[in-house]
Amino acid sequence: MNASDELKPDERWKAIILFGLNNATYKMALANCLLEFASNGETTIKWDELAYSFYLQYKERLSENNMPQQTHPSRQTKLEVIIKQTNNGQLTEEQAVERVAREGFVDVVPRFQTIGQEKIPGSFYDYDFGKNLTLKDSTLQIAELKKAELNDEISARWSHLEGAFMINRDSDNQLANDVRETYLQNGYDRKPLTHNKPFLQAYQGNVCFYCGYDLASNIHVDHVLPRQVVNHDEIWNLVLSHDFCNTQKSDKLVARHFIDKLIARNENIMGGNHPWKSNIERMLGTDPVARGKTLEKHYDQVQTVLGSNYWEGSSYNPETDPFYRRVITLLANDTKHK
Ligand SMILES: [Zn+2]
Protein backbone atom coordinates (compact mmCIF):
# COMPACT_ATOMS: atom_id res chain seq x y z
CA MET A 1 0.00 0.00 0.00
CA ASN A 2 1.25 3.50 -0.71
CA ALA A 3 0.46 6.70 1.18
CA SER A 4 -2.66 7.52 -0.83
CA ASP A 5 -4.09 4.15 0.23
CA GLU A 6 -4.41 5.26 3.82
CA LEU A 7 -6.67 7.75 5.50
CA LYS A 8 -4.72 10.82 6.58
CA PRO A 9 -5.14 11.92 10.22
CA ASP A 10 -7.67 14.64 9.36
CA GLU A 11 -9.63 12.16 7.23
CA ARG A 12 -9.62 9.61 10.05
CA TRP A 13 -10.89 12.31 12.35
CA LYS A 14 -13.60 13.31 9.89
CA ALA A 15 -14.68 9.67 9.49
CA ILE A 16 -15.04 9.38 13.28
CA ILE A 17 -17.21 12.50 13.38
CA LEU A 18 -19.41 11.57 10.42
CA PHE A 19 -19.75 7.80 10.67
CA GLY A 20 -20.64 5.16 13.23
CA LEU A 21 -23.75 4.30 15.16
CA ASN A 22 -24.18 7.69 16.83
CA ASN A 23 -27.05 6.82 19.13
CA ALA A 24 -25.87 9.67 21.34
CA THR A 25 -23.80 12.85 20.98
CA TYR A 26 -20.87 11.85 23.23
CA LYS A 27 -18.33 11.63 20.41
CA MET A 28 -18.96 15.26 19.47
CA ALA A 29 -18.36 16.47 23.02
CA LEU A 30 -15.20 14.40 23.43
CA ALA A 31 -13.91 15.58 20.05
CA ASN A 32 -14.25 19.22 21.15
CA CYS A 33 -12.45 18.47 24.42
CA LEU A 34 -9.56 16.73 22.64
CA LEU A 35 -9.07 19.60 20.21
CA GLU A 36 -9.14 22.11 23.03
CA PHE A 37 -6.48 20.31 25.07
CA ALA A 38 -4.38 19.74 21.97
CA SER A 39 -4.46 23.39 20.93
CA ASN A 40 -3.39 24.35 24.46
CA GLY A 41 -0.47 21.99 24.11
CA GLU A 42 -1.67 19.73 26.93
CA THR A 43 -0.82 16.18 25.94
CA THR A 44 -1.37 14.28 29.18
CA ILE A 45 -4.80 15.02 30.54
CA LYS A 46 -5.80 13.95 34.02
CA TRP A 47 -9.14 12.16 34.20
CA ASP A 48 -10.85 14.83 36.31
CA GLU A 49 -9.62 17.56 33.95
CA LEU A 50 -11.17 15.66 31.07
CA ALA A 51 -14.38 15.17 33.06
CA TYR A 52 -14.61 18.89 33.78
CA SER A 53 -14.06 19.79 30.14
CA PHE A 54 -16.68 17.21 29.06
CA TYR A 55 -19.11 18.51 31.68
CA LEU A 56 -18.68 22.08 30.40
CA GLN A 57 -19.41 20.97 26.82
CA TYR A 58 -22.84 19.72 27.87
CA LYS A 59 -23.52 22.52 30.31
CA GLU A 60 -23.05 25.07 27.52
CA ARG A 61 -24.80 23.01 24.88
CA LEU A 62 -27.91 22.35 26.96
CA SER A 63 -28.23 25.92 28.19
CA GLU A 64 -28.12 27.19 24.60
CA ASN A 65 -30.60 24.73 23.09
CA ASN A 66 -32.31 22.05 25.10
CA MET A 67 -32.32 19.33 22.43
CA PRO A 68 -32.32 15.55 23.03
CA GLN A 69 -28.85 14.00 23.19
CA GLN A 70 -29.70 10.38 22.36
CA THR A 71 -31.98 8.47 20.05
CA HIS A 72 -34.50 6.81 22.37
CA PRO A 73 -37.59 9.05 22.76
CA SER A 74 -38.12 8.41 26.46
CA ARG A 75 -34.55 8.22 27.73
CA GLN A 76 -31.84 10.70 28.63
CA THR A 77 -28.08 10.48 28.53
CA LYS A 78 -26.14 10.40 31.80
CA LEU A 79 -24.81 13.86 31.01
CA GLU A 80 -28.31 15.29 30.53
CA VAL A 81 -29.31 13.89 33.91
CA ILE A 82 -26.17 15.17 35.63
CA ILE A 83 -26.52 18.68 34.16
CA LYS A 84 -30.20 18.80 35.16
CA GLN A 85 -29.40 17.71 38.72
CA THR A 86 -26.68 20.33 38.95
CA ASN A 87 -28.98 23.06 37.65
CA ASN A 88 -31.66 22.28 40.23
CA GLY A 89 -29.19 22.04 43.11
CA GLN A 90 -29.23 18.26 43.70
CA LEU A 91 -25.54 18.08 42.84
CA THR A 92 -22.73 20.55 43.39
CA GLU A 93 -20.52 21.16 40.41
CA GLU A 94 -17.76 19.19 42.11
CA GLN A 95 -20.06 16.18 42.62
CA ALA A 96 -21.26 16.50 39.05
CA VAL A 97 -17.74 16.40 37.62
CA GLU A 98 -16.88 13.47 39.88
CA ARG A 99 -19.87 11.57 38.46
CA VAL A 100 -18.88 12.44 34.90
CA ALA A 101 -15.40 11.08 35.64
CA ARG A 102 -16.91 7.82 36.91
CA GLU A 103 -19.83 7.30 34.51
CA GLY A 104 -19.53 9.75 31.65
CA PHE A 105 -16.81 8.09 29.56
CA VAL A 106 -17.63 4.41 29.97
CA ASP A 107 -18.69 4.13 26.33
CA VAL A 108 -17.13 7.03 24.53
CA VAL A 109 -13.44 6.84 25.47
CA PRO A 110 -13.03 3.18 24.43
CA ARG A 111 -15.23 3.57 21.32
CA PHE A 112 -14.28 6.97 19.96
CA GLN A 113 -11.60 5.57 17.69
CA THR A 114 -13.85 3.05 15.94
CA ILE A 115 -16.39 3.53 13.19
CA GLY A 116 -19.08 0.93 12.97
CA GLN A 117 -17.40 -2.32 13.95
CA GLU A 118 -14.08 -1.19 12.52
CA LYS A 119 -11.28 -0.01 14.70
CA ILE A 120 -9.72 2.56 12.44
CA PRO A 121 -5.98 2.29 11.96
CA GLY A 122 -3.87 4.83 13.80
CA SER A 123 -5.35 6.54 16.80
CA PHE A 124 -5.64 9.92 18.45
CA TYR A 125 -4.94 8.99 22.06
CA ASP A 126 -4.00 6.31 24.55
CA TYR A 127 -5.75 6.11 27.89
CA ASP A 128 -5.59 4.55 31.30
CA PHE A 129 -9.25 4.45 32.26
CA GLY A 130 -10.03 6.58 35.29
CA LYS A 131 -6.48 7.99 35.43
CA ASN A 132 -5.43 9.86 32.34
CA LEU A 133 -5.57 10.24 28.61
CA THR A 134 -2.52 10.95 26.45
CA LEU A 135 -2.89 12.68 23.11
CA LYS A 136 -0.87 11.45 20.16
CA ASP A 137 0.99 13.63 17.68
CA SER A 138 -1.78 13.23 15.08
CA THR A 139 -4.21 15.03 17.40
CA LEU A 140 -1.78 17.88 18.05
CA GLN A 141 -1.11 18.12 14.34
CA ILE A 142 -4.75 18.40 13.22
CA ALA A 143 -5.57 20.79 16.07
CA GLU A 144 -2.74 23.05 14.99
CA LEU A 145 -3.63 22.99 11.31
CA LYS A 146 -7.42 22.84 11.26
CA LYS A 147 -8.98 23.48 14.65
CA ALA A 148 -11.58 26.03 13.52
CA GLU A 149 -12.66 23.93 10.56
CA LEU A 150 -12.92 20.80 12.68
CA ASN A 151 -14.87 22.61 15.41
CA ASP A 152 -17.35 23.77 12.76
CA GLU A 153 -17.70 20.26 11.44
CA ILE A 154 -18.31 18.86 14.93
CA SER A 155 -20.84 21.57 15.65
CA ALA A 156 -22.76 20.88 12.40
CA ARG A 157 -22.77 17.15 13.09
CA TRP A 158 -23.88 17.65 16.68
CA SER A 159 -26.86 19.74 15.51
CA HIS A 160 -27.66 17.17 12.84
CA LEU A 161 -27.81 14.39 15.45
CA GLU A 162 -29.98 16.44 17.80
CA GLY A 163 -32.32 17.19 14.88
CA ALA A 164 -32.62 13.48 14.05
CA PHE A 165 -33.27 12.59 17.72
CA MET A 166 -35.99 15.25 17.80
CA ILE A 167 -37.69 13.81 14.70
CA ASN A 168 -37.77 10.44 16.49
CA ARG A 169 -39.89 12.03 19.20
CA ASP A 170 -42.15 13.96 16.83
CA SER A 171 -43.06 11.02 14.62
CA ASP A 172 -44.83 9.29 17.50
CA ASN A 173 -48.41 10.03 16.37
CA GLN A 174 -51.67 8.10 15.90
CA LEU A 175 -51.27 7.46 12.17
CA ALA A 176 -47.74 6.17 12.72
CA ASN A 177 -48.95 3.95 15.56
CA ASP A 178 -51.69 2.47 13.34
CA VAL A 179 -49.17 1.57 10.64
CA ARG A 180 -46.83 0.03 13.23
CA GLU A 181 -49.72 -1.98 14.67
CA THR A 182 -50.72 -3.36 11.24
CA TYR A 183 -47.16 -4.46 10.49
CA LEU A 184 -46.91 -6.00 13.96
CA GLN A 185 -50.09 -8.03 13.49
CA ASN A 186 -48.97 -9.36 10.11
CA GLY A 187 -45.36 -9.83 11.20
CA TYR A 188 -43.37 -12.67 12.67
CA ASP A 189 -40.23 -13.35 14.70
CA ARG A 190 -36.83 -12.93 13.14
CA LYS A 191 -35.60 -15.74 10.94
CA PRO A 192 -31.95 -16.55 10.27
CA LEU A 193 -30.98 -14.71 7.09
CA THR A 194 -27.45 -15.76 6.20
CA HIS A 195 -28.59 -18.68 3.99
CA ASN A 196 -29.99 -16.05 1.58
CA LYS A 197 -26.53 -14.70 0.79
CA PRO A 198 -25.65 -16.82 -2.28
CA PHE A 199 -29.09 -16.23 -3.78
CA LEU A 200 -29.01 -12.49 -3.23
CA GLN A 201 -25.45 -12.29 -4.48
CA ALA A 202 -26.54 -13.83 -7.78
CA TYR A 203 -29.20 -11.18 -8.40
CA GLN A 204 -27.36 -8.19 -7.00
CA GLY A 205 -23.89 -8.78 -8.35
CA ASN A 206 -21.04 -8.87 -5.86
CA VAL A 207 -21.53 -5.25 -4.85
CA CYS A 208 -23.07 -3.54 -1.84
CA PHE A 209 -26.68 -2.43 -2.47
CA TYR A 210 -26.02 0.95 -0.86
CA CYS A 211 -22.54 2.11 -1.80
CA GLY A 212 -22.00 0.06 -4.98
CA TYR A 213 -18.50 -0.97 -3.95
CA ASP A 214 -17.29 -4.59 -4.05
CA LEU A 215 -18.38 -6.88 -1.26
CA ALA A 216 -15.42 -8.68 0.26
CA SER A 217 -15.79 -9.93 3.81
CA ASN A 218 -18.25 -8.76 6.46
CA ILE A 219 -21.28 -9.10 4.18
CA HIS A 220 -24.54 -8.31 5.86
CA VAL A 221 -28.11 -9.26 4.84
CA ASP A 222 -30.00 -6.03 5.29
CA HIS A 223 -33.69 -5.06 5.38
CA VAL A 224 -34.10 -2.01 3.10
CA LEU A 225 -37.30 -1.01 4.89
CA PRO A 226 -36.23 -1.38 8.53
CA ARG A 227 -37.25 -4.62 10.18
CA GLN A 228 -38.17 -2.83 13.37
CA VAL A 229 -41.06 -1.29 11.36
CA VAL A 230 -42.10 -3.98 8.84
CA ASN A 231 -41.58 -6.98 11.15
CA HIS A 232 -40.79 -9.49 8.45
CA ASP A 233 -37.88 -11.00 6.52
CA GLU A 234 -39.49 -11.23 3.08
CA ILE A 235 -36.98 -11.66 0.28
CA TRP A 236 -38.29 -8.62 -1.65
CA ASN A 237 -36.99 -6.40 1.14
CA LEU A 238 -33.60 -8.07 1.64
CA VAL A 239 -30.32 -6.95 0.08
CA LEU A 240 -26.62 -7.47 0.72
CA SER A 241 -24.51 -4.67 2.12
CA HIS A 242 -21.26 -4.03 3.91
CA ASP A 243 -21.45 -4.22 7.68
CA PHE A 244 -20.26 -0.63 7.61
CA CYS A 245 -23.08 0.52 5.30
CA ASN A 246 -25.63 -1.42 7.31
CA THR A 247 -24.46 0.35 10.46
CA GLN A 248 -24.61 3.75 8.78
CA LYS A 249 -28.14 3.19 7.49
CA SER A 250 -29.33 1.39 10.65
CA ASP A 251 -33.11 1.77 11.18
CA LYS A 252 -33.45 4.92 9.15
CA LEU A 253 -35.47 5.64 6.03
CA VAL A 254 -33.53 5.38 2.77
CA ALA A 255 -33.93 7.92 -0.03
CA ARG A 256 -36.63 7.05 -2.59
CA HIS A 257 -34.08 6.30 -5.33
CA PHE A 258 -33.18 3.14 -3.41
CA ILE A 259 -36.78 1.98 -3.78
CA ASP A 260 -36.47 2.23 -7.58
CA LYS A 261 -33.28 0.21 -7.27
CA LEU A 262 -35.01 -2.39 -5.09
CA ILE A 263 -37.91 -2.68 -7.57
CA ALA A 264 -35.40 -3.26 -10.38
CA ARG A 265 -33.57 -5.88 -8.30
CA ASN A 266 -36.83 -7.70 -7.58
CA GLU A 267 -37.79 -7.69 -11.28
CA ASN A 268 -34.37 -9.16 -11.92
CA ILE A 269 -35.33 -12.07 -9.64
CA MET A 270 -38.71 -12.35 -11.40
CA GLY A 271 -36.89 -12.72 -14.70
CA GLY A 272 -35.01 -15.74 -13.38
CA ASN A 273 -36.22 -19.16 -12.46
CA HIS A 274 -35.97 -19.31 -8.70
CA PRO A 275 -38.70 -20.85 -6.49
CA TRP A 276 -38.86 -17.56 -4.58
CA LYS A 277 -40.51 -15.95 -7.61
CA SER A 278 -43.86 -17.23 -6.46
CA ASN A 279 -43.21 -15.83 -3.00
CA ILE A 280 -42.55 -12.35 -4.41
CA GLU A 281 -45.64 -12.64 -6.63
CA ARG A 282 -47.77 -13.50 -3.65
CA MET A 283 -46.38 -10.65 -1.54
CA LEU A 284 -46.22 -7.88 -4.14
CA GLY A 285 -48.38 -8.76 -7.16
CA THR A 286 -48.50 -10.76 -10.37
CA ASP A 287 -47.23 -8.13 -12.83
CA PRO A 288 -44.36 -5.60 -12.68
CA VAL A 289 -46.62 -2.55 -12.40
CA ALA A 290 -48.59 -4.00 -9.48
CA ARG A 291 -45.39 -5.09 -7.75
CA GLY A 292 -43.84 -1.64 -8.12
CA LYS A 293 -46.96 -0.01 -6.69
CA THR A 294 -47.15 -2.35 -3.72
CA LEU A 295 -43.53 -1.75 -2.85
CA GLU A 296 -43.96 2.01 -3.10
CA LYS A 297 -46.98 1.77 -0.85
CA HIS A 298 -44.86 -0.03 1.76
CA TYR A 299 -42.27 2.73 1.46
CA ASP A 300 -44.94 5.40 2.02
CA GLN A 301 -46.25 3.55 5.07
CA VAL A 302 -42.79 3.18 6.55
CA GLN A 303 -42.27 6.89 5.92
CA THR A 304 -45.43 7.58 7.95
CA VAL A 305 -43.71 5.85 10.87
CA LEU A 306 -40.19 7.22 10.43
CA GLY A 307 -41.15 10.73 9.33
CA SER A 308 -38.15 12.46 7.86
CA ASN A 309 -35.73 10.33 9.83
CA TYR A 310 -33.71 9.68 6.69
CA TRP A 311 -30.30 8.14 6.39
CA GLU A 312 -28.54 11.52 5.97
CA GLY A 313 -31.15 13.13 3.71
CA SER A 314 -34.10 12.58 1.39
CA SER A 315 -31.88 12.14 -1.68
CA TYR A 316 -28.69 10.83 -0.08
CA ASN A 317 -26.63 8.40 -2.13
CA PRO A 318 -23.35 7.18 -0.63
CA GLU A 319 -22.29 6.03 -4.10
CA THR A 320 -21.87 9.66 -5.17
CA ASP A 321 -20.34 10.84 -1.88
CA PRO A 322 -16.57 10.86 -2.54
CA PHE A 323 -15.55 10.84 1.12
CA TYR A 324 -17.89 7.93 1.93
CA ARG A 325 -16.46 6.00 -0.98
CA ARG A 326 -12.90 6.69 0.08
CA VAL A 327 -13.58 5.47 3.61
CA ILE A 328 -15.45 2.33 2.55
CA THR A 329 -12.76 1.47 -0.01
CA LEU A 330 -9.94 1.85 2.49
CA LEU A 331 -11.78 -0.03 5.23
CA ALA A 332 -12.46 -2.88 2.80
CA ASN A 333 -8.81 -2.92 1.77
CA ASP A 334 -7.75 -2.82 5.38
CA THR A 335 -9.95 -5.83 6.17
CA LYS A 336 -8.55 -7.76 3.20
CA HIS A 337 -4.97 -7.12 4.30
CA LYS A 338 -5.55 -8.25 7.89
ZN1 LIG B 1 -21.44 -0.56 1.16
Side-chain angles (χ1 to χ4, degrees):
M1 289 209 290
N2 60 49
S4 67
D5 285 339
E6 285 170 10
L7 291 174
K8 295 194 280 289
D10 61 318
E11 290 178 313
R12 275 189 272 128
W13 180 273
K14 186 175 170 179
I16 286 171
I17 300 305
L18 294 182
F19 303 133
L21 253 185
N22 289 329
N23 284 331
T25 57
Y26 286 140
K27 276 198 319 195
M28 307 305 138
L30 183 61
N32 277 338
C33 296
L34 298 177
L35 288 178
E36 195 59 39
F37 284 114
S39 68
N40 292 336
E42 287 186 61
T43 51
T44 302
I45 305 149
K46 287 197 200 113
W47 209 250
D48 57 344
E49 282 181 281
L50 186 64
Y52 183 59
S53 172
F54 200 70
Y55 164 83
L56 286 183
Q57 285 289 326
Y58 278 97
K59 195 183 169 185
E60 269 168 41
R61 188 87 195 169
L62 293 170
S63 73
E64 277 165 21
N65 60 339
N66 197 10
M67 294 283 277
Q69 300 297 317
Q70 54 83 50
T71 187
H72 196 286
S74 58
R75 287 187 205 143
Q76 287 190 317
T77 59
K78 280 181 183 142
L79 265 292
E80 283 171 286
V81 174
I82 291 171
I83 300 292
K84 207 167 276 177
Q85 292 181 340
T86 315
N87 287 342
N88 68 23
Q90 280 175 268
L91 292 175
T92 64
E93 192 162 78
E94 201 184 335
Q95 289 168 325
V97 173
E98 196 264 329
R99 264 185 69 186
V100 174
R102 247 186 308 126
E103 303 169 12
F105 306 127
V106 178
D107 293 326
V108 71
V109 169
R111 282 194 206 153
F112 182 82
Q113 308 182 100
T114 58
I115 41 179
Q117 283 85 2
E118 309 281 347
K119 185 152 180 50
I120 62 165
S123 58
F124 292 100
Y125 56 79
D126 293 320
Y127 64 95
D128 187 354
F129 201 94
K131 295 196 176 105
N132 56 55
L133 183 147
T134 311
L135 297 178
K136 294 199 169 177
D137 286 347
S138 50
T139 317
L140 304 178
Q141 192 191 328
I142 60 165
E144 193 187 338
L145 294 174
K146 299 192 160 184
K147 183 166 183 290
E149 188 189 325
L150 297 177
N151 280 138
D152 285 350
E153 202 167 71
I154 293 163
S155 173
R157 195 65 190 171
W158 199 334
S159 300
H160 173 92
L161 290 175
E162 289 171 335
F165 300 156
M166 193 57 120
I167 288 165
N168 250 356
R169 285 154 174 77
D170 290 346
S171 60
D172 188 22
N173 59 48
Q174 189 56 47
L175 196 57
N177 290 341
D178 290 349
V179 173
R180 269 190 193 280
E181 191 53 36
T182 308
Y183 276 123
L184 259 177
Q185 277 169 12
N186 299 324
Y188 46 79
D189 289 343
R190 265 176 194 278
K191 291 174 181 171
L193 299 177
T194 41
H195 66 277
N196 294 314
K197 276 184 193 173
F199 167 72
L200 291 171
Q201 220 150 3
Y203 286 96
Q204 189 181 313
N206 196 34
V207 292
C208 172
F209 184 77
Y210 298 112
C211 74
Y213 187 73
D214 285 0
L215 287 168
S217 53
N218 294 334
I219 304 172
H220 189 90
V221 180
D222 186 57
H223 300 78
V224 177
L225 301 176
R227 196 192 196 281
Q228 62 110 337
V229 180
V230 298
N231 265 289
H232 64 64
D233 306 307
E234 295 303 322
I235 204 85
W236 63 260
N237 189 41
L238 299 181
V239 296
L240 300 181
S241 78
H242 295 110
D243 249 354
F244 178 83
C245 295
N246 169 251
T247 304
Q248 292 313 121
K249 186 214 142 216
S250 74
D251 287 335
K252 299 195 185 78
L253 188 69
V254 293
R256 194 171 277 272
H257 65 82
F258 279 119
I259 297 307
D260 298 334
K261 193 173 179 182
L262 184 60
I263 290 172
R265 197 289 311 263
N266 285 338
E267 289 312 312
N268 204 5
I269 297 175
M270 296 310 292
N273 227 340
H274 196 276
W276 275 331
K277 271 174 73 174
S278 61
N279 170 287
I280 292 180
E281 257 181 8
R282 200 173 66 248
M283 302 303 297
L284 297 181
T286 49
D287 65 87
V289 177
R291 285 192 289 272
K293 278 191 179 152
T294 311
L295 212 155
E296 276 172 5
K297 201 176 140 213
H298 281 295
Y299 180 74
D300 292 339
Q301 284 176 329
V302 170
Q303 187 165 37
T304 305
V305 176
L306 296 177
S308 50
N309 197 7
Y310 283 101
W311 175 21
E312 293 304 323
S314 61
S315 60
Y316 183 65
N317 188 355
E319 204 167 346
T320 54
D321 175 347
F323 185 65
Y324 192 101
R325 212 167 160 87
R326 177 154 166 77
V327 171
I328 192 75
T329 308
L330 293 178
L331 285 180
N333 277 339
D334 188 53
T335 311
K336 269 185 244 170
H337 290 295
K338 262 176 207 164

